[in-house]
Amino acid sequence: MKTRKNYISYIRFISTFMIIFYHFSCALIFYKSDAFCLFYDYANGRFGRVGVALFFMISGSGLLLSSENGFKLGQYYKKRWHKIYPMFYLCWVPLYLLLAWKNDGFLFRGHAWKFLFTLLGMDGYFDTTIRNYYIIGEWFLGALIIIYLIFPILRRIFCSKARNLFTIVLFVLCVVNDQVPFWYLPDREWIGYDIFAFWIGMYLVVLEQEVCKRKWILCINAALIFLALFVPLPIEFNCDLQVLLLSMNLYCLIMGISSCFLKRDVPSCIHWVNHRSYPIYLIHHMIILFFMESFASRISDRNEIAVLVFLVGFMLICAAILYRIEKWMEKIYYKKFGKSSKF
């Protein structure tokens, strides 16, 4: 269990910064088309997609591990709600009030019924289809909420004899979607890929010992990662599947390195960032955009890294403050209603 938690911590840390660096690069491209973006893409895709896929994978791994000693449906949904929504509302409300003040009105994006998307945490996921009050977070939060809702079903399948068959079905659906794209809403990445990434994370928990004790597998992982990052592939194939394959190899390599060479406890600085990774996800995009609106013209190739370091530091400070406020609110809640039990 300790090794598993270690590699999940390292992957969470890496995926967090991969997404931050990618969105910083996206903002540079938007505000300065001639900017040099070190963290935007690799030979066969974009780094942001890989970071998101890794995030889905560790979510699958983490939920499966946390339910190993028993699973109670009511407690599971209660805990998911507490993990997602208090911090989400805490981040959203002040930024909404700020934008309402700047736009001289509370309904600056249309009818009040659109607040329902925000109430459910699905505003980013549906924003490309129905313009709403999406301010914080990312589209994949909505996808993750959907997957959390169906996790009891996924877990039941995973613990049954249908595990391998379901894996094949998911893979085939992803391949078919490349040739004959399914009709779906919203206009985002097809959630089947996200479910598959989540499922891969669950599966890799079971395969951990097999992967880590065979060093040649780790060598293959490293070689495939190198090829994907630096060698443009001469064939056309599904970008989403390519991202999943790259992410899976990164996951396995980090898992193996953690098991073989990083047997000590995870450094406290990584734990510190990981405990605040959720508020970082929620606010980093808005911090980058607010900064770029005012200072994009002053960014050059020479100071790009310095600006990124400054923004990351500011994000960490804001996330730390939000984390402390949430803990204070949580303390008040538990004092009044009693501490929730873990599943």
Side-chain angles (χ1 to χ4, degrees):
M1 184 69 73
K2 182 178 179 181
T3 302
R4 291 170 177 171
K5 289 184 178 179
N6 282 356
Y7 71 71
I8 288 177
S9 295
Y10 289 119
I11 296 172
R12 183 182 300 277
F13 183 82
I14 291 170
S15 67
T16 298
F17 282 98
M18 192 177 290
I19 292 172
I20 292 174
F21 294 168
Y22 172 73
H23 283 142
F24 175 76
S25 298
C26 288
L28 272 181
I29 292 173
F30 181 80
Y31 286 97
K32 295 189 66 176
S33 59
D34 60 340
F36 172 70
C37 297
L38 180 63
F39 307 106
Y40 181 68
D41 57 7
Y42 56 96
N44 296 286
R46 298 177 182 176
F47 283 115
R49 301 289 304 281
V50 178
V52 172
L54 285 172
F55 181 73
F56 279 117
M57 288 179 186
I58 60 173
S59 297
S61 299
L63 275 186
L64 185 65
L65 287 169
S66 63
S67 64
E68 279 185 336
N69 297 323
F71 184 84
K72 295 182 179 180
L73 193 63
Q75 291 179 1
Y76 162 76
Y77 283 124
K78 182 178 180 181
K79 188 173 182 179
R80 290 305 101 199
W81 191 94
H82 281 288
K83 287 283 187 179
I84 294 173
Y85 289 103
M87 178 62 76
F88 179 81
Y89 299 145
L90 178 62
C91 296
W92 184 85
V93 169
L95 284 172
Y96 164 73
L97 293 175
L98 175 63
L99 291 176
W101 173 73
K102 289 180 65 176
N103 290 278
D104 299 320
F106 290 103
L107 300 179
F108 56 90
R109 289 186 185 167
H111 298 290
W113 65 266
K114 294 181 179 180
F115 286 114
L116 179 62
F117 292 105
T118 298
L119 183 65
L120 298 175
M122 305 295 291
D123 47 4
Y125 191 63
F126 284 98
D127 188 60
T128 55
T129 302
I130 302 175
R131 182 66 169 160
N132 56 61
Y133 291 89
Y134 168 50
I135 300 173
I136 62 165
E138 298 297 332
W139 66 266
F140 55 82
L141 175 61
L144 191 64
I145 290 172
I146 294 173
I147 295 173
Y148 280 166
L149 288 173
I150 65 172
F151 172 71
I153 300 174
L154 295 176
R155 180 181 177 274
R156 191 176 185 88
I157 296 172
F158 191 84
C159 296
S160 71
K161 295 180 180 179
R163 177 196 300 174
N164 294 334
L165 177 61
F166 189 72
T167 304
I168 295 172
V169 170
L170 283 176
F171 177 76
V172 170
L173 287 174
C174 290
V175 173
V176 170
N177 186 58
D178 177 41
Q179 304 301 320
V180 186
F182 302 136
W183 182 89
Y184 57 87
L185 287 174
D187 184 20
R188 289 288 187 186
E189 175 179 279
W190 181 50
I191 197 170
Y193 295 111
D194 307 325
I195 295 173
F196 195 25
F198 187 90
W199 184 264
I200 290 173
M202 296 170 66
Y203 219 111
L204 288 175
V205 170
V206 177
L207 298 178
E208 177 192 352
Q209 297 301 324
E210 295 297 319
V211 171
C212 293
K213 73 181 182 182
R214 291 176 170 82
K215 302 298 186 294
W216 59 269
I217 294 180
L218 300 180
C219 293
I220 292 176
N221 294 145
L224 291 175
I225 291 168
F226 179 85
L227 287 174
L229 291 180
F230 300 107
V231 181
L233 296 173
I235 59 174
E236 281 191 27
F237 70 107
N238 189 296
C239 178
D240 295 295
L241 282 178
Q242 177 264 128
V243 167
L244 289 178
L245 290 172
L246 173 58
S247 303
M248 183 175 65
N249 281 285
L250 276 169
Y251 189 111
C252 291
L253 184 63
I254 296 169
M255 182 169 62
I257 292 174
S258 175
S259 176
C260 299
F261 306 108
L262 302 175
K263 296 182 179 180
R264 296 181 179 180
D265 291 339
V266 176
S268 58
C269 60
I270 292 180
H271 274 310
W272 190 93
V273 172
N274 286 347
H275 288 155
R276 293 151 185 83
S277 60
Y278 183 45
I280 291 173
Y281 278 122
L282 292 177
I283 64 173
H284 79 278
H285 217 153
M286 289 302 295
I287 289 175
I288 292 172
L289 291 178
F290 280 142
F291 182 87
M292 289 294 180
E293 285 180 358
S294 301
F295 302 105
S297 60
R298 302 182 185 181
I299 300 177
S300 65
D301 293 348
R302 293 182 178 181
N303 63 16
E304 177 183 329
I305 300 299
V307 171
L308 177 58
V309 171
F310 167 77
L311 286 175
V312 169
F314 186 70
M315 292 172 198
L316 293 177
I317 292 172
C318 293
I321 294 172
L322 290 165
Y323 180 81
R324 184 64 64 90
I325 293 173
E326 186 196 33
K327 291 300 178 185
W328 172 72
M329 294 169 58
E330 190 178 80
K331 185 177 179 180
I332 295 175
Y333 175 86
Y334 288 153
K335 186 176 180 180
K336 186 173 182 180
F337 299 103
K339 194 169 182 64
S340 62
S341 58
K342 298 182 179 179
F343 65 88

